[in-house]
Short mmCIF file of all heavy atoms in Angstrom, two decimals:
data_model
loop_
_atom_site.label_atom_id
_atom_site.label_comp_id
_atom_site.label_asym_id
_atom_site.label_seq_id
_atom_site.Cartn_x
_atom_site.Cartn_y
_atom_site.Cartn_z
N LEU A 1113 117.02 36.34 8.58
CA LEU A 1113 117.64 34.98 8.66
C LEU A 1113 116.56 33.92 8.24
O LEU A 1113 115.59 33.63 8.83
CB LEU A 1113 117.92 34.59 10.22
CG LEU A 1113 118.78 35.70 10.95
CD1 LEU A 1113 118.89 35.21 12.39
CD2 LEU A 1113 120.11 35.86 10.28
N ASP A 1114 116.81 33.38 7.01
CA ASP A 1114 115.95 32.31 6.40
C ASP A 1114 114.55 32.74 6.70
O ASP A 1114 113.70 32.04 7.29
CB ASP A 1114 116.20 30.92 7.09
CG ASP A 1114 117.59 30.40 6.57
OD1 ASP A 1114 118.58 30.82 7.03
OD2 ASP A 1114 117.54 29.50 5.98
N SER A 1115 114.24 33.85 6.13
CA SER A 1115 112.95 34.64 6.56
C SER A 1115 111.77 34.19 5.86
O SER A 1115 111.75 33.81 4.55
CB SER A 1115 113.27 36.12 6.24
OG SER A 1115 112.20 36.84 6.48
N GLY A 1116 110.62 34.27 6.49
CA GLY A 1116 109.23 34.14 5.95
C GLY A 1116 109.10 35.61 5.26
O GLY A 1116 109.72 36.52 5.36
N GLY A 1117 107.79 35.64 4.56
CA GLY A 1117 107.49 36.97 4.02
C GLY A 1117 107.29 36.88 2.55
O GLY A 1117 106.93 37.84 1.89
N LEU A 1118 107.67 35.80 1.90
CA LEU A 1118 107.51 35.61 0.53
C LEU A 1118 106.47 34.41 0.11
O LEU A 1118 106.18 34.32 -0.98
CB LEU A 1118 108.78 35.50 -0.26
CG LEU A 1118 109.63 36.72 -0.52
CD1 LEU A 1118 110.91 36.41 -1.18
CD2 LEU A 1118 108.78 37.65 -1.43
N ILE A 1119 106.28 33.56 1.12
CA ILE A 1119 105.57 32.32 0.88
C ILE A 1119 104.15 32.55 1.49
O ILE A 1119 104.08 32.83 2.67
CB ILE A 1119 106.24 31.05 1.40
CG1 ILE A 1119 107.55 30.87 0.67
CG2 ILE A 1119 105.40 29.87 1.27
CD1 ILE A 1119 108.42 29.84 1.24
N LYS A 1120 103.08 32.36 0.74
CA LYS A 1120 101.73 32.58 1.30
C LYS A 1120 101.33 31.37 2.13
O LYS A 1120 101.88 30.29 1.97
CB LYS A 1120 100.70 32.73 0.11
CG LYS A 1120 100.94 33.97 -0.71
CD LYS A 1120 100.08 34.12 -1.79
CE LYS A 1120 100.14 35.46 -2.64
NZ LYS A 1120 99.29 35.55 -3.76
N GLN A 1121 100.56 31.68 3.13
CA GLN A 1121 100.25 30.66 4.06
C GLN A 1121 99.23 29.66 3.43
O GLN A 1121 98.33 29.94 2.51
CB GLN A 1121 99.39 31.19 5.24
CG GLN A 1121 100.44 32.10 6.10
CD GLN A 1121 101.48 31.28 6.69
OE1 GLN A 1121 101.20 30.46 7.48
NE2 GLN A 1121 102.67 31.75 6.40
N PRO A 1122 99.25 28.35 3.72
CA PRO A 1122 98.38 27.34 3.21
C PRO A 1122 96.93 27.73 3.61
O PRO A 1122 96.59 28.25 4.76
CB PRO A 1122 98.87 25.95 3.91
CG PRO A 1122 99.49 26.48 5.18
CD PRO A 1122 100.21 27.78 4.85
N ILE A 1123 95.98 27.38 2.57
CA ILE A 1123 94.56 27.82 2.91
C ILE A 1123 94.05 27.04 4.11
O ILE A 1123 92.99 27.61 4.66
CB ILE A 1123 93.74 27.48 1.62
CG1 ILE A 1123 92.40 28.17 1.72
CG2 ILE A 1123 93.65 26.14 1.39
CD1 ILE A 1123 91.69 28.24 0.34
N ILE A 1124 94.58 25.97 4.48
CA ILE A 1124 93.96 25.23 5.60
C ILE A 1124 93.95 26.08 6.93
O ILE A 1124 93.12 25.83 7.73
CB ILE A 1124 94.79 23.83 5.88
CG1 ILE A 1124 94.07 23.03 6.95
CG2 ILE A 1124 96.20 24.16 6.30
CD1 ILE A 1124 92.77 22.49 6.56
N SER A 1125 94.80 27.02 7.07
CA SER A 1125 94.91 27.95 8.22
C SER A 1125 93.67 28.65 8.34
O SER A 1125 93.17 29.06 9.41
CB SER A 1125 96.15 28.78 8.08
OG SER A 1125 95.89 29.81 7.08
N LYS A 1126 92.89 28.96 7.30
CA LYS A 1126 91.65 29.67 7.40
C LYS A 1126 90.49 28.81 8.02
O LYS A 1126 89.41 29.41 8.35
CB LYS A 1126 91.25 30.12 6.06
CG LYS A 1126 92.09 31.09 5.37
CD LYS A 1126 92.03 32.54 6.07
CE LYS A 1126 92.73 33.57 5.24
NZ LYS A 1126 92.61 34.93 5.95
N PHE A 1127 90.70 27.47 7.98
CA PHE A 1127 89.71 26.64 8.49
C PHE A 1127 90.05 25.95 9.79
O PHE A 1127 89.36 25.02 10.26
CB PHE A 1127 89.42 25.58 7.41
CG PHE A 1127 89.01 26.15 6.20
CD1 PHE A 1127 89.93 26.38 5.10
CD2 PHE A 1127 87.63 26.47 5.97
CE1 PHE A 1127 89.57 26.76 3.89
CE2 PHE A 1127 87.35 26.99 4.69
CZ PHE A 1127 88.19 27.20 3.68
N LEU A 1128 91.04 26.50 10.54
CA LEU A 1128 91.53 25.81 11.70
C LEU A 1128 90.73 26.39 12.91
O LEU A 1128 90.91 27.53 13.44
CB LEU A 1128 93.05 26.25 11.94
CG LEU A 1128 93.72 25.43 13.00
CD1 LEU A 1128 93.71 23.87 12.88
CD2 LEU A 1128 95.09 25.88 13.15
N PHE A 1129 89.62 25.81 13.25
CA PHE A 1129 88.82 26.19 14.34
C PHE A 1129 88.39 25.16 15.29
O PHE A 1129 88.65 23.94 14.88
CB PHE A 1129 87.46 26.77 13.83
CG PHE A 1129 86.71 25.76 12.92
CD1 PHE A 1129 85.79 24.81 13.43
CD2 PHE A 1129 86.93 25.66 11.52
CE1 PHE A 1129 85.18 23.94 12.54
CE2 PHE A 1129 86.34 24.77 10.68
CZ PHE A 1129 85.45 23.81 11.33
N PRO A 1130 88.26 25.40 16.58
CA PRO A 1130 87.81 24.38 17.57
C PRO A 1130 86.69 23.57 17.08
O PRO A 1130 85.71 23.95 16.54
CB PRO A 1130 87.52 25.14 18.87
CG PRO A 1130 88.16 26.52 18.65
CD PRO A 1130 88.05 26.77 17.17
N PRO A 1131 86.77 22.11 17.38
CA PRO A 1131 87.88 21.36 17.99
C PRO A 1131 89.06 21.09 17.09
O PRO A 1131 90.11 20.58 17.64
CB PRO A 1131 87.11 20.18 18.44
CG PRO A 1131 86.17 19.85 17.35
CD PRO A 1131 85.63 21.31 16.92
N LEU A 1132 88.87 21.21 15.73
CA LEU A 1132 90.06 20.98 14.88
C LEU A 1132 91.30 21.78 15.31
O LEU A 1132 92.41 21.40 15.37
CB LEU A 1132 89.77 21.37 13.46
CG LEU A 1132 90.71 21.12 12.40
CD1 LEU A 1132 91.22 19.74 12.46
CD2 LEU A 1132 90.36 21.45 11.07
N GLY A 1133 91.06 23.04 15.72
CA GLY A 1133 92.20 23.94 16.18
C GLY A 1133 92.83 23.35 17.44
O GLY A 1133 94.02 23.27 17.47
N TYR A 1134 92.00 22.95 18.38
CA TYR A 1134 92.58 22.33 19.62
C TYR A 1134 93.39 21.05 19.25
O TYR A 1134 94.46 20.91 19.80
CB TYR A 1134 91.43 22.06 20.63
CG TYR A 1134 91.93 21.29 21.85
CD1 TYR A 1134 92.51 22.07 22.86
CD2 TYR A 1134 91.73 19.93 21.86
CE1 TYR A 1134 92.97 21.41 23.99
CE2 TYR A 1134 92.26 19.30 23.00
CZ TYR A 1134 92.87 19.97 24.07
OH TYR A 1134 93.30 19.37 25.18
N LEU A 1135 92.79 20.28 18.40
CA LEU A 1135 93.56 19.03 18.11
C LEU A 1135 94.81 19.28 17.37
O LEU A 1135 95.87 18.56 17.58
CB LEU A 1135 92.63 18.03 17.22
CG LEU A 1135 91.35 17.55 17.95
CD1 LEU A 1135 90.55 16.72 16.96
CD2 LEU A 1135 91.76 16.56 19.10
N ALA A 1136 94.84 20.27 16.48
CA ALA A 1136 96.07 20.66 15.92
C ALA A 1136 97.13 21.07 16.83
O ALA A 1136 98.35 20.84 16.72
CB ALA A 1136 95.77 21.76 14.87
N THR A 1137 96.65 22.01 17.78
CA THR A 1137 97.77 22.54 18.76
C THR A 1137 98.24 21.33 19.69
O THR A 1137 99.42 21.28 20.01
CB THR A 1137 97.19 23.62 19.62
OG1 THR A 1137 96.04 23.08 20.31
CG2 THR A 1137 96.90 24.82 18.76
N GLU A 1138 97.34 20.46 19.89
CA GLU A 1138 97.71 19.21 20.73
C GLU A 1138 98.82 18.37 19.94
O GLU A 1138 99.73 17.86 20.55
CB GLU A 1138 96.68 18.41 21.23
CG GLU A 1138 95.87 19.15 22.24
CD GLU A 1138 96.65 19.60 23.55
OE1 GLU A 1138 97.23 18.61 24.13
OE2 GLU A 1138 96.72 20.81 23.65
N PHE A 1139 98.58 18.34 18.57
CA PHE A 1139 99.52 17.70 17.68
C PHE A 1139 100.93 18.40 17.77
O PHE A 1139 101.90 17.69 17.86
CB PHE A 1139 99.06 17.74 16.38
CG PHE A 1139 99.92 17.07 15.26
CD1 PHE A 1139 100.09 15.73 15.16
CD2 PHE A 1139 100.58 17.87 14.33
CE1 PHE A 1139 100.96 15.15 14.27
CE2 PHE A 1139 101.45 17.30 13.41
CZ PHE A 1139 101.62 15.87 13.26
N LEU A 1140 100.93 19.64 17.74
CA LEU A 1140 102.15 20.46 17.78
C LEU A 1140 102.80 20.43 19.29
O LEU A 1140 103.98 20.45 19.38
CB LEU A 1140 101.84 21.92 17.39
CG LEU A 1140 101.64 22.29 16.09
CD1 LEU A 1140 101.30 23.77 15.93
CD2 LEU A 1140 102.93 21.98 15.26
N ARG A 1141 101.98 20.16 20.25
CA ARG A 1141 102.50 19.93 21.61
C ARG A 1141 103.31 18.58 21.76
O ARG A 1141 104.10 18.52 22.69
CB ARG A 1141 101.33 19.99 22.62
CG ARG A 1141 101.96 20.00 24.06
CD ARG A 1141 100.68 19.74 25.00
NE ARG A 1141 99.65 20.76 24.94
CZ ARG A 1141 99.70 21.96 25.78
NH1 ARG A 1141 100.73 22.15 26.60
NH2 ARG A 1141 98.80 22.79 25.64
N ASN A 1142 103.01 17.62 20.99
CA ASN A 1142 103.56 16.30 21.06
C ASN A 1142 105.20 16.34 20.76
O ASN A 1142 105.56 17.08 19.80
CB ASN A 1142 102.94 15.38 19.90
CG ASN A 1142 103.41 13.98 20.17
OD1 ASN A 1142 104.80 13.68 19.70
ND2 ASN A 1142 102.66 13.10 20.39
N LEU A 1143 105.98 15.98 21.77
CA LEU A 1143 107.28 16.28 21.70
C LEU A 1143 108.11 15.48 20.56
O LEU A 1143 109.00 15.73 19.96
CB LEU A 1143 108.02 15.76 23.00
CG LEU A 1143 107.59 16.62 24.16
CD1 LEU A 1143 108.40 16.18 25.52
CD2 LEU A 1143 107.90 18.11 23.98
N LYS A 1144 107.40 14.25 20.11
CA LYS A 1144 107.94 13.63 19.00
C LYS A 1144 107.76 14.35 17.68
O LYS A 1144 108.58 14.39 16.79
CB LYS A 1144 107.23 12.14 18.78
CG LYS A 1144 107.69 11.26 19.98
CD LYS A 1144 106.93 9.84 19.66
CE LYS A 1144 107.49 8.85 20.89
NZ LYS A 1144 106.76 7.53 20.70
#
């Protein structure tokens, strides 16, 4: 169903580490 598996992940994911990782997840936690 509208599947992943053909699009490569953005390179930024390799550099997502605390505190940047924590801030990113808090961004995703934001309901807006």
Side-chain angles (χ1 to χ4, degrees):
L1113 308 176
D1114 290 68
S1115 176
L1118 279 177
I1119 298 175
K1120 294 180 179 179
Q1121 295 296 299
I1123 195 168
I1124 188 63
S1125 66
K1126 293 289 187 180
F1127 301 97
L1128 191 61
F1129 55 88
L1132 177 59
Y1134 174 79
L1135 293 175
T1137 56
E1138 289 307 295
F1139 178 75
L1140 285 176
R1141 190 192 291 274
N1142 185 292
L1143 293 185
K1144 289 183 179 180

